[in-house]
Amino acid sequence: MSATSTSRVAEPRWHAADEAPGAGTLALLEPMAARLLQPMLEAMPARVAVLDADDHILFANRAFMAFAGIKPEYLIGGRIDQLIGATAYAAYQPARDLLERGQAACFEGWMLLAGVGARYMREHLVPIGPGLATLVISLDWTDLKRQQEALQAKVAELEATRSLKAAIVDHAQTAIVVADADDRLIEFNPAAERLLGWRRDEILGQSMGECLSPPHFLEAYRRAMARLRAGQNADWLGRPLQREVWHRDGHAIPVEMQVWFTQVQGAAHFTVSMSDRRAQIAAQQLIEQQREALRQSEKLGAMGSLLAGVAHELNNPLAIVMGRATLLEEATAGTPMQADAERVRVAAERCGRIVKTFLSMARQRPAQRQAVRLHETAQAAAELVGYTLRSHAIQLELRLDPTQAPAQVDPDAMGQSLLNLLVNAQQALATVEGPRRIVISNGQDAHGLWLRVQDNGPGVPAELRESIFDPFFTTKPEGSGTGVGLSVSRAMLREQGGELSLLDTHPGACFEIRVPLPSPLP
């Protein structure tokens, strides 16, 4: 026995048959009746036997003989328990109780037979007269039962496999959709719902191409599907493809997809897996912006080092010019030449202040807080960008209060931040027709000291007011900026306990540098 073990054989449960013993059953033992019924019993595919009151075998048909494997002369007259074994014979006791009451007994189940093993039997026992004999009709359904159990196991295995695959598809982070040969969607997993905006119950049965393909690509999609249905090979099947799919609300989504063509019971099916590429594209753009910013930083660093050297070298001739101008001014005192000498000295001093400011900003050192007067920082920055603003026909107006208390900040950080704001304002005014103006003002209130740079340019759109402080974000044309000036300036000021913000003004833009009020003396 290979498919069934003896452990599965339970005590048989016999029950009374629906039919009662037929009239004249005694006649079955009469020779005439036996001769008439024997051909019919021999032809039956079931195993048929007649047992006497002591369970001796009186008759057995060919099927029973073949099952027993014993010659008729040894089988007829022998006891049934010698054939089926003591274990199986004991299992018939409930049936004998029914037969003694004149009731037919039925049983279907596994029976452990001597020399054969466990067999799945259908037994029907009919009493022949009270206490005279028993007609036994037995069907061996073992092979059929084993086939049925194998089929049930296969169905259970297939159901488990289907459930496992369904769970994998349902919990996959990749969007998976399946369409039949008519392009009708038959599967749409939760990830596809999240990516494409459709609910599974509303999109199943609809055309995959019409629902998910962008309008400009729909005709090409139809041609590709037609070639596949015609049996033509496509080298893009199973390969990663970068395409766009159509969201339910009408916008395209960049995805990486793979398409598989499969035959299921002779029917064509198309499976598409899709991964959202928007985050990947954004990351690539950010990396490219960072690379460009790094290149610009390297160029600016090299230029700054060069200019710092030039500025340093200018100090010596500037010192000579200022010294000679002072001597000339003293020598020409009281003459018309004194005014000219004074103008030369003032111009040289201004050049010296510009060089000093530039060197201070270019110097790399840790941040150091000290007393800084904001109006002086604004004047120094204005001198640095003065020529550039004049060459672009930009009027610079200083509305500065020299009586304001000094702020405790790093002077270089403050100067660099203010210079960034002035450069941004100058670039923003490049597109303005008519008068161009930048106003620098300072003041204080209960929340701290402030320094503002306001221009009459196009301003900042409301939807970009917060984004402009993000690293590498810029509204300038390509090549005009790296998008790091405002973010770096805000970061430097926040390290000083200050803040850089965009005020709500119109027209133009107004950026405000705010630092804490100076601490009172103890």
Side-chain angles (χ1 to χ4, degrees):
M1 182 175 60
S2 59
T4 307
S5 65
T6 57
S7 62
R8 67 192 298 173
V9 180
E11 184 71 20
R13 295 186 178 182
W14 295 87
H15 62 275
D18 295 335
E19 66 274 12
T25 52
L26 291 175
L28 290 175
L29 299 178
E30 298 176 359
M32 179 64 71
R35 287 194 299 272
L36 294 174
L37 290 175
Q38 184 170 352
M40 179 182 68
L41 296 177
E42 293 289 357
M44 290 181 65
R47 301 167 189 164
V48 180
V50 177
L51 308 179
D52 65 10
D54 295 323
D55 291 334
H56 292 89
I57 301 173
L58 302 178
F59 169 80
N61 70 348
R62 291 190 183 92
F64 197 96
M65 294 286 187
F67 165 72
I70 301 175
K71 294 181 179 181
E73 56 267 26
Y74 297 110
L75 181 65
I76 302 301
R79 285 180 55 85
I80 191 67
D81 57 341
Q82 297 175 345
L83 177 64
I84 65 175
T87 301
Y89 184 74
Y92 279 87
Q93 184 58 48
R96 285 192 289 272
D97 295 339
L98 292 172
L99 293 171
E100 289 176 359
R101 296 196 298 266
Q103 293 180 286
C106 288
F107 162 75
E108 180 180 331
W110 290 97
M111 181 74 74
L112 188 61
L113 302 176
V116 179
R119 307 295 293 179
Y120 192 85
M121 310 296 293
R122 169 70 176 174
E123 299 275 358
H124 197 89
L125 279 59
V126 180
I128 304 175
L132 292 180
T134 302
L135 175 64
V136 180
I137 303 174
S138 178
L139 293 172
D140 190 342
W141 288 350
T142 304
D143 293 341
L144 179 62
K145 186 64 176 178
R146 287 173 177 166
Q147 291 174 3
Q148 181 186 24
E149 290 179 345
L151 179 60
Q152 290 174 343
K154 188 65 176 179
V155 170
E157 180 184 352
L158 292 175
E159 180 62 25
T161 302
R162 188 201 67 80
S163 299
L164 176 61
K165 291 181 178 179
I168 293 173
V169 170
D170 288 345
H171 292 87
Q173 296 301 309
T174 301
I176 298 175
V177 301
V178 182
D180 61 17
D182 296 325
D183 198 42
R184 299 296 171 184
L185 285 163
I186 60 174
E187 184 55 68
F188 202 81
N189 74 339
E193 292 181 321
R194 294 190 295 269
L195 176 64
L196 302 171
W198 290 89
R199 294 197 316 272
R200 184 177 186 274
D201 58 351
E202 65 184 357
I203 198 173
L204 290 186
Q206 298 195 48
S207 168
M208 180 168 66
E210 293 180 2
C211 290
L212 306 183
S213 182
H216 62 272
F217 189 71
L218 182 56
E219 189 58 36
Y221 169 86
R222 289 171 176 165
R223 291 195 299 268
M225 292 299 104
R227 288 193 295 269
L228 287 178
R229 294 189 192 95
Q232 300 181 20
N233 293 327
D235 57 1
W236 47 265
L237 282 176
R239 294 174 51 192
L241 305 171
Q242 294 185 356
R243 296 288 188 271
E244 288 184 339
V245 292
W246 206 241
H247 193 273
R248 182 181 180 181
D249 63 10
H251 71 273
I253 299 175
V255 298
E256 182 171 283
M257 67 168 58
Q258 285 183 285
V259 183
W260 294 276
F261 173 76
T262 54
Q263 292 277 352
V264 180
Q265 296 181 346
H269 290 78
F270 302 95
T271 302
V272 184
S273 66
M274 294 171 282
S275 300
D276 193 345
R277 293 185 61 242
R278 286 175 292 187
Q280 179 184 356
I281 291 174
Q284 290 174 344
Q285 291 175 344
L286 179 60
I287 291 173
E288 187 57 35
Q289 290 172 346
Q290 291 172 339
R291 287 174 178 169
E292 180 60 27
L294 181 59
R295 288 193 290 266
Q296 292 291 339
S297 177
E298 290 175 348
K299 289 193 296 184
L300 291 175
M303 184 178 297
S305 298
L306 176 63
L307 292 178
V310 172
H312 180 74
E313 293 298 324
L314 285 176
N315 272 332
N316 291 332
L318 279 174
I320 295 174
V321 171
M322 285 189 290
R324 293 297 182 180
T326 300
L327 293 175
L328 183 61
E329 184 179 1
E330 293 175 352
T332 58
T335 68
M337 293 293 295
Q338 182 182 5
D340 293 336
E342 181 181 1
R343 282 193 289 271
V344 172
R345 177 182 59 79
V346 170
E349 290 176 348
R350 180 171 177 269
C351 290
R353 289 195 301 273
I354 291 174
V355 170
K356 181 181 178 180
T357 302
F358 181 85
L359 289 174
S360 177
M361 293 174 59
R363 189 183 305 119
Q364 294 184 356
R365 61 171 178 78
Q368 297 178 352
R369 294 192 185 188
Q370 60 189 59
V372 175
R373 293 190 176 276
L374 299 186
H375 73 282
E376 293 179 353
T377 301
Q379 290 171 344
E383 289 181 343
L384 279 176
V385 298
Y387 175 78
T388 301
L389 296 181
R390 289 192 299 272
S391 65
H392 287 80
I394 298 175
Q395 177 186 357
L396 178 62
E397 181 179 350
L398 301 179
R399 300 177 184 175
L400 302 175
D401 179 10
T403 65
Q404 188 181 66
Q408 292 295 323
V409 293
D410 183 270
D412 293 344
M414 180 62 68
Q416 182 64 57
S417 300
L418 182 57
L419 189 62
N420 286 341
L421 296 180
L422 290 173
V423 172
N424 284 350
Q426 177 255 312
Q427 293 175 342
L429 290 170
T431 60
V432 175
E433 297 293 337
R436 303 171 181 174
R437 185 176 66 258
I438 297 176
V439 178
I440 305 178
S441 58
N442 71 326
Q444 73 178 66
D445 52 31
H447 302 291
L449 307 175
W450 52 263
L451 190 64
R452 294 171 184 166
V453 177
Q454 184 172 4
D455 62 67
N456 64 337
V460 180
E463 63 272 15
L464 301 180
R465 292 180 64 86
E466 288 301 322
S467 300
I468 59 173
F469 292 103
D470 294 339
F472 308 109
F473 180 88
T474 180
T475 59
K476 301 171 186 176
E478 185 175 357
S480 298
T482 61
V484 297
L486 289 176
S487 63
V488 169
S489 297
R490 172 179 270 189
M492 288 192 301
L493 290 170
R494 285 180 173 177
E495 289 179 358
Q496 307 294 313
E499 184 59 82
L500 174 62
S501 58
L502 173 63
L503 302 183
D504 189 7
T505 59
H506 184 78
C510 181
F511 288 88
E512 179 185 78
I513 295 174
R514 183 172 288 273
V515 294
L517 289 168
S519 301
L521 294 176

